[in-house]
Amino acid sequence: MNEQKEQQQPTPAHIMQVGMGFWASKTLLTAVKFKLFTLLAGTKLSAAAIKKEYSLQTTDRHVYDWLDTLVALGFLQRDGLLADALYYNAVETDIFLDTKKPSYMGGILEMGNNRLYRFWGDLDEGLKTGLPQNESKHAGNMNFFEDLYKDESKLHEFMNAMSGIQTGNFMTLVRKFDFSKYKSLADIGGADGWLSIQVALNHASIKCTTFDLPPVEALAKKKIAQFNLSDRIQALSGDILKDTLPSAEVITMGNILHGFNEATKQAVIKKVYDSLPGNGVFIAIENVIDDDRNKNVFGLLMSLNMLIENGDAFDYTPADFDKWTKAAGFKRIEIIPLAGPTSAVIAYK
């Protein structure tokens, strides 16, 4: 009985884990910035060798602390202890955080470290003011994407981040949704064309168009050419809000709708509806929040990130999507779970 009471006794462990979670986050983000998991791919190294590689000026003890924290968090494995230890990648980090592997998804973590980490320090101000806390806060310009696309290095980082975080989602969607029923697809806000590439690689009869702002077109064409798909995927430039959307039987958007406020979301969905033929389908790939709003933690955090980035933008639930698409004229929706916290919400015309 006493043992059972002890087990039920409240503890502050969860409060401390989340409240000081930035400690663990920055430990991992620093390893990604240093490309530690690329250095350790296929090999084992001592702390002394790692310290020398990165010219670290701190004490040996703090190098051990950093590496052993990564071990405790599950990102590294270790044989031995302290000066006698050899460190090597855990399975997941070797697959997903080695920059030389096509499965690398660290781009989103690079952007998290280089941009979002400091912006999230002003979440309290964002909640008080309802204003973005990103670069536009200091520049006085609320158009994040126009600013981003002016800087080629930041643009590359953002494209890599989006491709990395969406790869598993796109591959799962291609398996779960039958694109073979359709002859054409237009990916609106298609970035470097990664979704179109995945669809074209798996469905030989479909023609694809990837549509994004002008600075992205060259990146998309280059990536499409790398997969020898230039004859089946075209890259077009345009603005979702200002220009006519490409015509296609399937229109997709990956992490696009969540970047708008509700009125703009509704206007974009109506624009999609008007662009689709009678058998048309609209697919939005997002970190869709569950209708109870208490399970998809990442989706809720992503919605707060939209406050940081855009001010009045937010992520949404299936019920929200159903309401907006029905108002535009769509007949029904379907939800397909993808990788991790992401789902495809599908509206049928």
Side-chain angles (χ1 to χ4, degrees), residues 108-270:
I108 187 67
L109 300 181
E110 292 174 25
M111 187 176 74
N113 189 60
N114 297 338
R115 292 187 59 250
L116 298 179
Y117 190 86
R118 66 184 188 276
F119 297 148
W120 267 74
D122 292 333
L123 176 61
D124 52 346
E125 186 176 340
L127 289 168
K128 288 180 178 180
T129 65
L131 298 175
Q133 301 301 310
N134 62 6
E135 292 91 347
S136 63
K137 174 182 177 180
H138 307 286
N141 179 351
M142 289 188 64
N143 196 324
F144 163 66
F145 285 103
E146 286 187 5
D147 287 346
L148 173 71
Y149 288 8
K150 290 176 184 176
D151 187 319
E152 186 174 348
S153 64
K154 287 185 177 179
L155 177 59
H156 275 280
E157 179 180 272
F158 186 78
M159 292 297 108
N160 289 336
M162 294 304 99
S163 294
I165 199 171
Q166 289 283 38
T167 295
N169 299 320
F170 292 166
M171 294 176 71
T172 304
L173 178 64
V174 168
R175 290 198 310 269
K176 289 188 173 183
F177 184 82
D178 189 3
F179 286 98
S180 65
K181 295 180 179 179
Y182 306 96
K183 296 180 180 178
S184 57
L185 175 146
D187 187 24
I188 309 303
D192 59 4
W194 194 224
L195 176 57
S196 295
I197 289 168
Q198 294 300 319
V199 172
L201 287 173
N202 289 274
H203 297 278
S205 61
I206 196 167
K207 296 279 188 177
C208 300
T209 300
T210 184
F211 179 87
D212 211 316
L213 294 172
V216 185
E217 184 176 342
L219 294 178
K221 286 183 175 179
K222 181 179 179 180
K223 192 160 189 173
I224 292 164
Q226 288 175 350
F227 287 85
N228 298 314
L229 290 170
S230 300
D231 59 331
R232 294 181 49 215
I233 305 174
Q234 62 173 335
L236 297 180
S237 295
D239 188 307
I240 295 172
L241 301 180
K242 298 175 183 177
D243 298 323
T244 301
L245 300 181
S247 177
E249 292 180 84
V250 179
I251 289 180
T252 57
M253 291 184 185
N255 282 350
I256 299 297
L257 271 185
H258 76 155
F260 302 127
N261 62 26
E262 186 164 13
T264 306
K265 282 177 169 69
Q266 188 69 76
V268 168
I269 290 171
K270 185 63 168 67

Side-chain angles (χ1 to χ4, degrees), residues 43-64:
T43 191
K44 299 179 180 182
L45 292 177
S46 68
I50 293 169
K51 182 178 181 180
K52 181 179 180 181
E53 174 69 24
Y54 296 122
S55 301
L56 304 180
Q57 299 303 306
T58 188
T59 65
D60 289 349
R61 175 64 64 170
H62 286 128
V63 176
Y64 300 145

Side-chain angles (χ1 to χ4, degrees), residues 263-282:
T264 306
K265 282 177 169 69
Q266 188 69 76
V268 168
I269 290 171
K270 185 63 168 67
K271 193 171 186 178
V272 169
Y273 180 87
D274 292 339
S275 300
L276 288 168
N279 67 332
V281 179
F282 173 42

Side-chain angles (χ1 to χ4, degrees), residues 309-331:
E309 293 282 34
N310 298 71
D312 55 358
F314 59 94
D315 284 70
Y316 52 88
T317 66
D320 293 325
F321 187 75
D322 184 63
K323 178 182 71 173
W324 299 327
T325 53
K326 292 285 177 58
F330 287 95
K331 291 185 172 63

